[in-house]
């Protein structure tokens, strides 16, 4: 009889623990790290009257930033303003948009909506595809865009 009471007691305790564990709420959602901004205020950047902004959030000490800077300097379309934003001189903009890693490249439209972004130095093909998708270049001249 005592054994039966001990077993029933153990089942009740285990059931109570299981109830408490299952009652616990879900884990907090994870916070994304190193995310690119999704919306920009074009007034914060050069020539907001142009339809497109290709912005590079960078650092002068970052080798990948140097590679991205070299490649983006080849983008010379009249509808696109290319702007390099080194953290050493443009820290307020990095802070405003929550940029905590470099390089980050974003392509934003006239309204500041980020249509494409890349964390790290993007390969030339990715930039070419972004320009194609945005309609900045056409498939005919897209293959003529040569990046170093």
């Amino acid at each position: 009889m005592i054994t039966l009471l001990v077993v029933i007691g153990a089942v009740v305790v285990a059931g109570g623990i299981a109830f408490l564990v299952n009652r616990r709420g879900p884990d907090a959602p994870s916070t994304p790290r190193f995310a690119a901004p999704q919306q920009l205020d074009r007034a914060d950047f050069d020539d907001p009257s142009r339809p497109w902004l290709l912005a590079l959030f960078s650092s002068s000490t970052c080798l990948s930033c140097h590679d991205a800077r070299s490649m983006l300097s080849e983008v010379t379309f009249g509808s696109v303003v290319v702007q390099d934003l080194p953290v050493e001189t443009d820290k307020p903009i990095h802070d405003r948009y929550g940029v905590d890693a470099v390089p980050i490249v974003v392509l934003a439209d006239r309204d500041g909506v980020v249509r494409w972004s890349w964390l790290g130095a993007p390969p030339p093909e990715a930039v070419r595809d972004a320009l194609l998708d945005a309609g900045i270049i056409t498939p005919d001249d897209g293959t003529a865009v040569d990046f170093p």
Side-chain angles (χ1 to χ4, degrees), residues 88-119:
E88 294 82 5
T89 57
D90 294 299
K91 184 156 178 33
I93 291 189
H94 282 242
D95 291 344
R96 176 176 167 125
Y97 294 105
V99 173
D100 54 1
V102 293
I104 293 178
V105 181
V106 298
L107 178 66
D109 64 17
R110 182 181 314 260
D111 297 324
V113 176
V114 174
R115 301 297 179 152
W116 175 83
S117 63
W118 193 277
L119 280 63

PDB file of all heavy atoms in Angstrom, residues 88-119:
ATOM      1  N   GLU A  88      33.616  56.171 -40.155  1.00  0.00           N
ATOM      2  CA  GLU A  88      34.491  57.167 -39.539  1.00  0.00           C
ATOM      3  C   GLU A  88      33.986  58.596 -39.762  1.00  0.00           C
ATOM      4  O   GLU A  88      34.188  59.455 -38.913  1.00  0.00           O
ATOM      5  CB  GLU A  88      35.929  57.056 -40.089  1.00  0.00           C
ATOM      6  CG  GLU A  88      36.625  55.760 -39.726  1.00  0.00           C
ATOM      7  CD  GLU A  88      36.264  54.593 -40.646  1.00  0.00           C
ATOM      8  OE1 GLU A  88      35.530  54.778 -41.649  1.00  0.00           O
ATOM      9  OE2 GLU A  88      36.715  53.478 -40.363  1.00  0.00           O
ATOM     10  N   THR A  89      33.331  58.854 -40.894  1.00  0.00           N
ATOM     11  CA  THR A  89      32.833  60.206 -41.192  1.00  0.00           C
ATOM     12  C   THR A  89      31.313  60.301 -41.174  1.00  0.00           C
ATOM     13  O   THR A  89      30.778  61.400 -41.098  1.00  0.00           O
ATOM     14  CB  THR A  89      33.349  60.685 -42.567  1.00  0.00           C
ATOM     15  OG1 THR A  89      32.943  59.755 -43.568  1.00  0.00           O
ATOM     16  CG2 THR A  89      34.860  60.827 -42.551  1.00  0.00           C
ATOM     17  N   ASP A  90      30.629  59.163 -41.261  1.00  0.00           N
ATOM     18  CA  ASP A  90      29.163  59.170 -41.339  1.00  0.00           C
ATOM     19  C   ASP A  90      28.530  58.329 -40.237  1.00  0.00           C
ATOM     20  O   ASP A  90      27.500  57.684 -40.453  1.00  0.00           O
ATOM     21  CB  ASP A  90      28.711  58.673 -42.718  1.00  0.00           C
ATOM     22  CG  ASP A  90      29.109  59.620 -43.825  1.00  0.00           C
ATOM     23  OD1 ASP A  90      28.664  60.781 -43.787  1.00  0.00           O
ATOM     24  OD2 ASP A  90      29.863  59.216 -44.728  1.00  0.00           O
ATOM     25  N   LYS A  91      29.119  58.334 -39.061  1.00  0.00           N
ATOM     26  CA  LYS A  91      28.587  57.539 -37.946  1.00  0.00           C
ATOM     27  C   LYS A  91      27.134  57.872 -37.612  1.00  0.00           C
ATOM     28  O   LYS A  91      26.346  56.955 -37.340  1.00  0.00           O
ATOM     29  CB  LYS A  91      29.464  57.694 -36.708  1.00  0.00           C
ATOM     30  CG  LYS A  91      28.977  56.804 -35.560  1.00  0.00           C
ATOM     31  CD  LYS A  91      30.058  56.493 -34.591  1.00  0.00           C
ATOM     32  CE  LYS A  91      29.624  55.661 -33.417  1.00  0.00           C
ATOM     33  NZ  LYS A  91      28.603  54.699 -33.597  1.00  0.00           N
ATOM     34  N   PRO A  92      26.712  59.157 -37.643  1.00  0.00           N
ATOM     35  CA  PRO A  92      25.299  59.436 -37.349  1.00  0.00           C
ATOM     36  C   PRO A  92      24.324  58.715 -38.295  1.00  0.00           C
ATOM     37  O   PRO A  92      23.269  58.263 -37.858  1.00  0.00           O
ATOM     38  CB  PRO A  92      25.197  60.953 -37.501  1.00  0.00           C
ATOM     39  CG  PRO A  92      26.576  61.457 -37.238  1.00  0.00           C
ATOM     40  CD  PRO A  92      27.494  60.398 -37.787  1.00  0.00           C
ATOM     41  N   ILE A  93      24.699  58.566 -39.551  1.00  0.00           N
ATOM     42  CA  ILE A  93      23.816  57.846 -40.491  1.00  0.00           C
ATOM     43  C   ILE A  93      23.835  56.349 -40.182  1.00  0.00           C
ATOM     44  O   ILE A  93      22.795  55.686 -40.216  1.00  0.00           O
ATOM     45  CB  ILE A  93      24.204  58.140 -41.952  1.00  0.00           C
ATOM     46  CG1 ILE A  93      23.849  59.590 -42.257  1.00  0.00           C
ATOM     47  CG2 ILE A  93      23.516  57.188 -42.907  1.00  0.00           C
ATOM     48  CD1 ILE A  93      23.968  60.004 -43.681  1.00  0.00           C
ATOM     49  N   HIS A  94      24.993  55.807 -39.860  1.00  0.00           N
ATOM     50  CA  HIS A  94      25.070  54.392 -39.465  1.00  0.00           C
ATOM     51  C   HIS A  94      24.176  54.149 -38.244  1.00  0.00           C
ATOM     52  O   HIS A  94      23.423  53.174 -38.203  1.00  0.00           O
ATOM     53  CB  HIS A  94      26.514  53.992 -39.137  1.00  0.00           C
ATOM     54  CG  HIS A  94      27.368  53.751 -40.337  1.00  0.00           C
ATOM     55  ND1 HIS A  94      27.937  52.537 -40.619  1.00  0.00           N
ATOM     56  CD2 HIS A  94      27.758  54.574 -41.341  1.00  0.00           C
ATOM     57  CE1 HIS A  94      28.645  52.613 -41.718  1.00  0.00           C
ATOM     58  NE2 HIS A  94      28.563  53.861 -42.180  1.00  0.00           N
ATOM     59  N   ASP A  95      24.279  55.050 -37.262  1.00  0.00           N
ATOM     60  CA  ASP A  95      23.469  54.907 -36.043  1.00  0.00           C
ATOM     61  C   ASP A  95      21.984  55.060 -36.342  1.00  0.00           C
ATOM     62  O   ASP A  95      21.161  54.302 -35.824  1.00  0.00           O
ATOM     63  CB  ASP A  95      23.895  55.937 -34.992  1.00  0.00           C
ATOM     64  CG  ASP A  95      25.278  55.663 -34.431  1.00  0.00           C
ATOM     65  OD1 ASP A  95      25.795  54.528 -34.609  1.00  0.00           O
ATOM     66  OD2 ASP A  95      25.858  56.595 -33.835  1.00  0.00           O
ATOM     67  N   ARG A  96      21.643  56.032 -37.158  1.00  0.00           N
ATOM     68  CA  ARG A  96      20.221  56.286 -37.473  1.00  0.00           C
ATOM     69  C   ARG A  96      19.556  55.065 -38.099  1.00  0.00           C
ATOM     70  O   ARG A  96      18.401  54.764 -37.827  1.00  0.00           O
ATOM     71  CB  ARG A  96      20.104  57.493 -38.393  1.00  0.00           C
ATOM     72  CG  ARG A  96      18.684  57.755 -38.844  1.00  0.00           C
ATOM     73  CD  ARG A  96      18.585  59.004 -39.675  1.00  0.00           C
ATOM     74  NE  ARG A  96      17.295  59.056 -40.325  1.00  0.00           N
ATOM     75  CZ  ARG A  96      16.468  60.065 -40.225  1.00  0.00           C
ATOM     76  NH1 ARG A  96      16.774  61.118 -39.518  1.00  0.00           N
ATOM     77  NH2 ARG A  96      15.320  60.029 -40.861  1.00  0.00           N
ATOM     78  N   TYR A  97      20.298  54.358 -38.955  1.00  0.00           N
ATOM     79  CA  TYR A  97      19.717  53.215 -39.654  1.00  0.00           C
ATOM     80  C   TYR A  97      20.108  51.872 -39.036  1.00  0.00           C
ATOM     81  O   TYR A  97      19.830  50.819 -39.603  1.00  0.00           O
ATOM     82  CB  TYR A  97      20.071  53.281 -41.143  1.00  0.00           C
ATOM     83  CG  TYR A  97      19.408  54.470 -41.796  1.00  0.00           C
ATOM     84  CD1 TYR A  97      20.132  55.601 -42.128  1.00  0.00           C
ATOM     85  CD2 TYR A  97      18.030  54.491 -41.985  1.00  0.00           C
ATOM     86  CE1 TYR A  97      19.513  56.706 -42.681  1.00  0.00           C
ATOM     87  CE2 TYR A  97      17.402  55.590 -42.535  1.00  0.00           C
ATOM     88  CZ  TYR A  97      18.145  56.691 -42.878  1.00  0.00           C
ATOM     89  OH  TYR A  97      17.524  57.798 -43.418  1.00  0.00           O
ATOM     90  N   GLY A  98      20.710  51.898 -37.870  1.00  0.00           N
ATOM     91  CA  GLY A  98      21.012  50.671 -37.143  1.00  0.00           C
ATOM     92  C   GLY A  98      22.051  49.796 -37.817  1.00  0.00           C
ATOM     93  O   GLY A  98      22.036  48.582 -37.651  1.00  0.00           O
ATOM     94  N   VAL A  99      22.950  50.392 -38.575  1.00  0.00           N
ATOM     95  CA  VAL A  99      23.989  49.623 -39.251  1.00  0.00           C
ATOM     96  C   VAL A  99      25.090  49.334 -38.241  1.00  0.00           C
ATOM     97  O   VAL A  99      25.744  50.247 -37.740  1.00  0.00           O
ATOM     98  CB  VAL A  99      24.540  50.401 -40.472  1.00  0.00           C
ATOM     99  CG1 VAL A  99      25.733  49.674 -41.072  1.00  0.00           C
ATOM    100  CG2 VAL A  99      23.445  50.600 -41.505  1.00  0.00           C
ATOM    101  N   ASP A 100      25.267  48.046 -37.932  1.00  0.00           N
ATOM    102  CA  ASP A 100      26.272  47.677 -36.950  1.00  0.00           C
ATOM    103  C   ASP A 100      27.307  46.714 -37.506  1.00  0.00           C
ATOM    104  O   ASP A 100      28.090  46.135 -36.766  1.00  0.00           O
ATOM    105  CB  ASP A 100      25.616  47.107 -35.690  1.00  0.00           C
ATOM    106  CG  ASP A 100      24.678  45.958 -35.972  1.00  0.00           C
ATOM    107  OD1 ASP A 100      24.541  45.573 -37.145  1.00  0.00           O
ATOM    108  OD2 ASP A 100      24.080  45.441 -35.026  1.00  0.00           O
ATOM    109  N   ALA A 101      27.319  46.539 -38.816  1.00  0.00           N
ATOM    110  CA  ALA A 101      28.325  45.723 -39.487  1.00  0.00           C
ATOM    111  C   ALA A 101      28.528  46.308 -40.879  1.00  0.00           C
ATOM    112  O   ALA A 101      27.604  46.881 -41.461  1.00  0.00           O
ATOM    113  CB  ALA A 101      27.866  44.276 -39.585  1.00  0.00           C
ATOM    114  N   VAL A 102      29.716  46.171 -41.387  1.00  0.00           N
ATOM    115  CA  VAL A 102      30.022  46.661 -42.727  1.00  0.00           C
ATOM    116  C   VAL A 102      30.801  45.593 -43.480  1.00  0.00           C
ATOM    117  O   VAL A 102      31.440  44.754 -42.846  1.00  0.00           O
ATOM    118  CB  VAL A 102      30.831  47.985 -42.669  1.00  0.00           C
ATOM    119  CG1 VAL A 102      30.001  49.107 -42.107  1.00  0.00           C
ATOM    120  CG2 VAL A 102      32.126  47.826 -41.911  1.00  0.00           C
ATOM    121  N   PRO A 103      30.736  45.582 -44.790  1.00  0.00           N
ATOM    122  CA  PRO A 103      29.947  46.462 -45.640  1.00  0.00           C
ATOM    123  C   PRO A 103      28.504  45.993 -45.778  1.00  0.00           C
ATOM    124  O   PRO A 103      28.215  44.804 -45.698  1.00  0.00           O
ATOM    125  CB  PRO A 103      30.660  46.358 -46.990  1.00  0.00           C
ATOM    126  CG  PRO A 103      31.271  44.995 -47.002  1.00  0.00           C
ATOM    127  CD  PRO A 103      31.623  44.702 -45.567  1.00  0.00           C
ATOM    128  N   ILE A 104      27.635  46.953 -45.961  1.00  0.00           N
ATOM    129  CA  ILE A 104      26.248  46.698 -46.331  1.00  0.00           C
ATOM    130  C   ILE A 104      25.949  47.596 -47.525  1.00  0.00           C
ATOM    131  O   ILE A 104      26.229  48.796 -47.489  1.00  0.00           O
ATOM    132  CB  ILE A 104      25.262  47.002 -45.185  1.00  0.00           C
ATOM    133  CG1 ILE A 104      25.468  46.022 -44.026  1.00  0.00           C
ATOM    134  CG2 ILE A 104      23.823  46.962 -45.678  1.00  0.00           C
ATOM    135  CD1 ILE A 104      24.576  46.269 -42.825  1.00  0.00           C
ATOM    136  N   VAL A 105      25.406  47.018 -48.569  1.00  0.00           N
ATOM    137  CA  VAL A 105      25.049  47.754 -49.768  1.00  0.00           C
ATOM    138  C   VAL A 105      23.533  47.717 -49.900  1.00  0.00           C
ATOM    139  O   VAL A 105      22.924  46.647 -49.760  1.00  0.00           O
ATOM    140  CB  VAL A 105      25.702  47.146 -51.031  1.00  0.00           C
ATOM    141  CG1 VAL A 105      25.338  47.938 -52.269  1.00  0.00           C
ATOM    142  CG2 VAL A 105      27.210  47.056 -50.867  1.00  0.00           C
ATOM    143  N   VAL A 106      22.922  48.873 -50.147  1.00  0.00           N
ATOM    144  CA  VAL A 106      21.478  48.923 -50.349  1.00  0.00           C
ATOM    145  C   VAL A 106      21.174  49.697 -51.626  1.00  0.00           C
ATOM    146  O   VAL A 106      21.877  50.645 -51.978  1.00  0.00           O
ATOM    147  CB  VAL A 106      20.724  49.559 -49.158  1.00  0.00           C
ATOM    148  CG1 VAL A 106      20.924  48.743 -47.898  1.00  0.00           C
ATOM    149  CG2 VAL A 106      21.140  50.981 -48.916  1.00  0.00           C
ATOM    150  N   LEU A 107      20.135  49.271 -52.300  1.00  0.00           N
ATOM    151  CA  LEU A 107      19.594  49.976 -53.461  1.00  0.00           C
ATOM    152  C   LEU A 107      18.204  50.445 -53.077  1.00  0.00           C
ATOM    153  O   LEU A 107      17.324  49.629 -52.800  1.00  0.00           O
ATOM    154  CB  LEU A 107      19.518  49.056 -54.681  1.00  0.00           C
ATOM    155  CG  LEU A 107      18.923  49.666 -55.950  1.00  0.00           C
ATOM    156  CD1 LEU A 107      19.817  50.786 -56.486  1.00  0.00           C
ATOM    157  CD2 LEU A 107      18.715  48.599 -57.020  1.00  0.00           C
ATOM    158  N   ALA A 108      18.031  51.774 -53.006  1.00  0.00           N
ATOM    159  CA  ALA A 108      16.756  52.349 -52.579  1.00  0.00           C
ATOM    160  C   ALA A 108      16.157  53.174 -53.710  1.00  0.00           C
ATOM    161  O   ALA A 108      16.877  53.827 -54.471  1.00  0.00           O
ATOM    162  CB  ALA A 108      16.951  53.224 -51.344  1.00  0.00           C
ATOM    163  N   ASP A 109      14.828  53.158 -53.784  1.00  0.00           N
ATOM    164  CA  ASP A 109      14.144  53.939 -54.808  1.00  0.00           C
ATOM    165  C   ASP A 109      13.960  55.385 -54.355  1.00  0.00           C
ATOM    166  O   ASP A 109      14.432  55.788 -53.293  1.00  0.00           O
ATOM    167  CB  ASP A 109      12.811  53.287 -55.210  1.00  0.00           C
ATOM    168  CG  ASP A 109      11.796  53.242 -54.074  1.00  0.00           C
ATOM    169  OD1 ASP A 109      11.950  53.964 -53.064  1.00  0.00           O
ATOM    170  OD2 ASP A 109      10.824  52.473 -54.196  1.00  0.00           O
ATOM    171  N   ARG A 110      13.281  56.164 -55.158  1.00  0.00           N
ATOM    172  CA  ARG A 110      13.076  57.592 -54.897  1.00  0.00           C
ATOM    173  C   ARG A 110      12.404  57.839 -53.544  1.00  0.00           C
ATOM    174  O   ARG A 110      12.652  58.834 -52.884  1.00  0.00           O
ATOM    175  CB  ARG A 110      12.222  58.180 -56.019  1.00  0.00           C
ATOM    176  CG  ARG A 110      11.968  59.655 -55.924  1.00  0.00           C
ATOM    177  CD  ARG A 110      11.098  60.141 -57.066  1.00  0.00           C
ATOM    178  NE  ARG A 110      11.520  59.626 -58.349  1.00  0.00           N
ATOM    179  CZ  ARG A 110      12.246  60.314 -59.235  1.00  0.00           C
ATOM    180  NH1 ARG A 110      12.620  61.527 -58.967  1.00  0.00           N
ATOM    181  NH2 ARG A 110      12.571  59.779 -60.380  1.00  0.00           N
ATOM    182  N   ASP A 111      11.532  56.902 -53.123  1.00  0.00           N
ATOM    183  CA  ASP A 111      10.820  57.044 -51.853  1.00  0.00           C
ATOM    184  C   ASP A 111      11.623  56.525 -50.660  1.00  0.00           C
ATOM    185  O   ASP A 111      11.147  56.577 -49.524  1.00  0.00           O
ATOM    186  CB  ASP A 111       9.478  56.311 -51.912  1.00  0.00           C
ATOM    187  CG  ASP A 111       8.549  56.909 -52.962  1.00  0.00           C
ATOM    188  OD1 ASP A 111       8.562  58.142 -53.138  1.00  0.00           O
ATOM    189  OD2 ASP A 111       7.823  56.126 -53.614  1.00  0.00           O
ATOM    190  N   GLY A 112      12.807  55.995 -50.922  1.00  0.00           N
ATOM    191  CA  GLY A 112      13.637  55.478 -49.847  1.00  0.00           C
ATOM    192  C   GLY A 112      13.380  54.027 -49.490  1.00  0.00           C
ATOM    193  O   GLY A 112      13.979  53.515 -48.545  1.00  0.00           O
ATOM    194  N   VAL A 113      12.507  53.362 -50.241  1.00  0.00           N
ATOM    195  CA  VAL A 113      12.240  51.946 -49.985  1.00  0.00           C
ATOM    196  C   VAL A 113      13.429  51.136 -50.505  1.00  0.00           C
ATOM    197  O   VAL A 113      13.818  51.274 -51.671  1.00  0.00           O
ATOM    198  CB  VAL A 113      10.940  51.488 -50.681  1.00  0.00           C
ATOM    199  CG1 VAL A 113      10.728  49.993 -50.490  1.00  0.00           C
ATOM    200  CG2 VAL A 113       9.757  52.281 -50.164  1.00  0.00           C
ATOM    201  N   VAL A 114      14.010  50.332 -49.640  1.00  0.00           N
ATOM    202  CA  VAL A 114      15.151  49.513 -50.033  1.00  0.00           C
ATOM    203  C   VAL A 114      14.627  48.345 -50.856  1.00  0.00           C
ATOM    204  O   VAL A 114      13.874  47.510 -50.372  1.00  0.00           O
ATOM    205  CB  VAL A 114      15.950  49.040 -48.802  1.00  0.00           C
ATOM    206  CG1 VAL A 114      17.045  48.064 -49.208  1.00  0.00           C
ATOM    207  CG2 VAL A 114      16.538  50.246 -48.074  1.00  0.00           C
ATOM    208  N   ARG A 115      15.022  48.323 -52.123  1.00  0.00           N
ATOM    209  CA  ARG A 115      14.568  47.280 -53.052  1.00  0.00           C
ATOM    210  C   ARG A 115      15.507  46.088 -53.105  1.00  0.00           C
ATOM    211  O   ARG A 115      15.133  45.017 -53.565  1.00  0.00           O
ATOM    212  CB  ARG A 115      14.427  47.870 -54.461  1.00  0.00           C
ATOM    213  CG  ARG A 115      13.469  49.023 -54.557  1.00  0.00           C
ATOM    214  CD  ARG A 115      12.091  48.574 -54.206  1.00  0.00           C
ATOM    215  NE  ARG A 115      11.158  49.681 -54.272  1.00  0.00           N
ATOM    216  CZ  ARG A 115       9.895  49.541 -54.539  1.00  0.00           C
ATOM    217  NH1 ARG A 115       9.391  48.345 -54.735  1.00  0.00           N
ATOM    218  NH2 ARG A 115       9.112  50.589 -54.551  1.00  0.00           N
ATOM    219  N   TRP A 116      16.746  46.303 -52.659  1.00  0.00           N
ATOM    220  CA  TRP A 116      17.752  45.239 -52.674  1.00  0.00           C
ATOM    221  C   TRP A 116      18.815  45.586 -51.652  1.00  0.00           C
ATOM    222  O   TRP A 116      19.134  46.765 -51.451  1.00  0.00           O
ATOM    223  CB  TRP A 116      18.366  45.143 -54.069  1.00  0.00           C
ATOM    224  CG  TRP A 116      19.499  44.181 -54.203  1.00  0.00           C
ATOM    225  CD1 TRP A 116      19.416  42.831 -54.393  1.00  0.00           C
ATOM    226  CD2 TRP A 116      20.904  44.479 -54.171  1.00  0.00           C
ATOM    227  NE1 TRP A 116      20.680  42.279 -54.481  1.00  0.00           N
ATOM    228  CE2 TRP A 116      21.615  43.287 -54.353  1.00  0.00           C
ATOM    229  CE3 TRP A 116      21.624  45.657 -53.997  1.00  0.00           C
ATOM    230  CZ2 TRP A 116      22.992  43.211 -54.368  1.00  0.00           C
ATOM    231  CZ3 TRP A 116      23.010  45.593 -54.018  1.00  0.00           C
ATOM    232  CH2 TRP A 116      23.673  44.384 -54.206  1.00  0.00           C
ATOM    233  N   SER A 117      19.351  44.584 -50.991  1.00  0.00           N
ATOM    234  CA  SER A 117      20.449  44.819 -50.057  1.00  0.00           C
ATOM    235  C   SER A 117      21.368  43.610 -50.055  1.00  0.00           C
ATOM    236  O   SER A 117      20.968  42.500 -50.430  1.00  0.00           O
ATOM    237  CB  SER A 117      19.925  45.099 -48.651  1.00  0.00           C
ATOM    238  OG  SER A 117      19.223  43.981 -48.149  1.00  0.00           O
ATOM    239  N   TRP A 118      22.593  43.861 -49.624  1.00  0.00           N
ATOM    240  CA  TRP A 118      23.581  42.797 -49.553  1.00  0.00           C
ATOM    241  C   TRP A 118      24.475  43.068 -48.353  1.00  0.00           C
ATOM    242  O   TRP A 118      24.999  44.165 -48.202  1.00  0.00           O
ATOM    243  CB  TRP A 118      24.413  42.772 -50.830  1.00  0.00           C
ATOM    244  CG  TRP A 118      25.218  41.526 -50.964  1.00  0.00           C
ATOM    245  CD1 TRP A 118      26.436  41.270 -50.402  1.00  0.00           C
ATOM    246  CD2 TRP A 118      24.864  40.364 -51.694  1.00  0.00           C
ATOM    247  NE1 TRP A 118      26.861  40.013 -50.738  1.00  0.00           N
ATOM    248  CE2 TRP A 118      25.918  39.439 -51.539  1.00  0.00           C
ATOM    249  CE3 TRP A 118      23.762  40.009 -52.467  1.00  0.00           C
ATOM    250  CZ2 TRP A 118      25.900  38.186 -52.131  1.00  0.00           C
ATOM    251  CZ3 TRP A 118      23.744  38.762 -53.056  1.00  0.00           C
ATOM    252  CH2 TRP A 118      24.797  37.859 -52.886  1.00  0.00           C
ATOM    253  N   LEU A 119      24.640  42.067 -47.494  1.00  0.00           N
ATOM    254  CA  LEU A 119      25.550  42.167 -46.367  1.00  0.00           C
ATOM    255  C   LEU A 119      26.865  41.544 -46.776  1.00  0.00           C
ATOM    256  O   LEU A 119      26.902  40.381 -47.164  1.00  0.00           O
ATOM    257  CB  LEU A 119      24.974  41.448 -45.146  1.00  0.00           C
ATOM    258  CG  LEU A 119      23.928  42.229 -44.357  1.00  0.00           C
ATOM    259  CD1 LEU A 119      22.697  42.513 -45.164  1.00  0.00           C
ATOM    260  CD2 LEU A 119      23.589  41.519 -43.083  1.00  0.00           C
TER     261      LEU A 119
END
